[in-house]
Amino acid sequence: MELIPLFSGSSGNSILVRACGKNLLFDLGQSCKRIDEALRSVGTDPDHIDGIFITHLHSDHVSGVDVFVRKHRAPIFATLSTHRYIAKICKKEHDSNLDIVVNENDVIDFDENIKIFTCSTPHDVQGSVCFKVEAEGKACVIMTDLGHVTEQIRGMAEGANGVLIESNYDLDMLKNGPYDYMLKKRVGGPDGHLSNTDCAEMIRHLLENGTHQFILGHLSENNNLPELAFNTVKHYLSQNYYTLDEDYSLWVANRYEPSRGLVL
Ligand SMILES: [Zn+2]
Ligand SMILES: [Zn+2]
């Protein structure tokens, strides 16, 4: 199984998972044209996407859905409120047979080899979820856009082989940054996003439970820097006696181009 971030950050998200000969896309938060180019650059034909999974309705996760689905005709798995929102923002209707409603805490038997788990995320919109993919005896988790790690999310992610996890903001940069009071409160609140230190703590927990490969993703453009996120996590883990490249691998997903993927 491979997990390849195509785009990651508050400016747009899309992640490719290849397993058992299937190509699965998680979120379409860039234009169809850019996603097509990114897919081709990593050797995947955009006409051969077997399923699209949408975490939630924010534009950095759905802005490419309208054109992509009409052009490539792949089924969209999303919660009901996310589907309703997608229907509203689509300029033209797509085949409604492609809309597959999933529950917030669900197990999808995608085919006989692939299982997809959904788990509700504390985020400031209805029907927001994160995903785990199980295939080939391995599991990977994509967890972004969550204000805090719930027991249920922790339970789902424990023991996964690789995790892409949100490292959205540095607390000092958020405090001193350009956002107004309400937006700072929203981002830093329990239904906002994970900070670099929240992320570090979750990685420590996952390391204790057998996960060794991590990608940091969904960094804020205004309230974070890739080096800062990386160093905050690395420093926190070294204080907990975990050594980079010995005990775990870690890198930051690129914002505007495909990143090195996890090979599980
Ligand atoms: Zn987002
Ligand atoms: Zn969001």
Side-chain angles (χ1 to χ4, degrees):
M1 184 179 349
E2 270 181 296
L3 179 155
I4 304 171
L6 303 177
F7 302 96
S8 190
S10 44
S11 40
N13 297 277
S14 191
I15 295 153
L16 172 67
V17 174
R18 296 195 279 225
C20 304
K22 293 284 175 3
N23 299 310
L24 312 175
L25 269 181
F26 293 82
D27 289 326
L28 291 170
Q30 279 283 355
S31 70
C32 176
K33 185 170 177 274
R34 294 193 69 179
I35 292 169
D36 284 359
E37 285 167 4
L39 284 168
R40 283 193 199 99
S41 79
V42 299
T44 293
D45 181 345
D47 281 323
H48 292 164
I49 295 300
D50 300 287
I52 296 163
F53 297 80
I54 303 292
T55 55
H56 66 297
L57 56 76
H58 282 151
S59 65
D60 57 320
H61 300 262
V62 299
S63 61
V65 173
D66 181 16
V67 178
F68 193 95
V69 169
R70 280 188 279 118
K71 191 170 168 196
H72 302 299
R73 287 194 53 82
I76 315 166
F77 296 78
T79 58
L80 186 59
S81 41
T82 302
H83 272 302
R84 283 184 176 148
Y85 181 80
I86 289 171
K88 259 193 243 168
I89 60 162
C90 283
K91 293 203 175 87
K92 286 187 196 159
E93 267 181 43
H94 57 257
D95 181 352
S96 61
N97 290 325
L98 297 173
D99 290 345
I100 297 166
V101 176
V102 300
N103 294 315
E104 284 181 33
N105 298 290
D106 212 347
V107 186
I108 306 155
D109 287 312
F110 185 76
D111 63 17
E112 65 273 25
N113 300 313
I114 303 175
K115 266 190 179 21
I116 318 268
F117 296 74
T118 63
C119 188
S120 175
T121 44
H123 198 46
D124 51 7
V125 286
Q126 265 196 320
S128 181
V129 295
C130 60
F131 294 103
K132 174 164 88 169
V133 183
E134 255 184 30
E136 303 167 358
K138 305 278 178 172
C140 65
V141 171
I142 297 163
M143 44 185 295
T144 67
D145 300 74
L146 60 162
H148 65 281
V149 179
T150 63
E151 276 306 310
Q152 212 169 359
I153 294 171
R154 197 173 278 124
M156 182 178 87
E158 278 171 5
N161 302 84
V163 174
L164 182 140
I165 179 169
E166 172 169 64
S167 198
N168 185 260
Y169 65 91
D170 171 76
L171 191 54
D172 288 330
M173 283 185 75
L174 178 67
K175 270 188 193 157
N176 303 315
Y179 288 1
D180 65 36
Y181 172 75
M182 286 310 289
L183 191 51
K184 284 180 184 177
K185 218 175 137 181
R186 186 174 80 71
V187 170
D191 296 332
H193 293 277
L194 291 186
S195 71
N196 295 340
T197 45
D198 296 334
C199 168
E201 167 50 27
M202 180 57 176
I203 290 183
R204 184 199 61 74
H205 177 82
L206 292 173
L207 262 166
E208 264 176 20
N209 286 278
T211 307
H212 301 286
Q213 298 193 54
F214 302 92
I215 301 179
L216 305 182
H218 207 296
L219 273 66
S220 164
E221 203 155 18
N222 295 305
N223 306 310
N224 211 352
L225 295 164
E227 308 72 40
L228 182 58
F230 181 85
N231 287 328
T232 303
V233 172
K234 186 179 141 191
H235 179 68
Y236 185 92
L237 294 174
S238 72
Q239 285 182 321
N240 285 275
Y241 310 105
Y242 290 109
T243 306
L244 178 67
D245 297 333
E246 277 180 30
D247 301 313
Y248 68 99
S249 64
L250 179 77
W251 58 90
V252 180
N254 297 322
R255 182 177 295 282
Y256 294 118
E257 60 188 9
S259 307
R260 176 184 164 197
L262 295 174
V263 182
L264 306 171

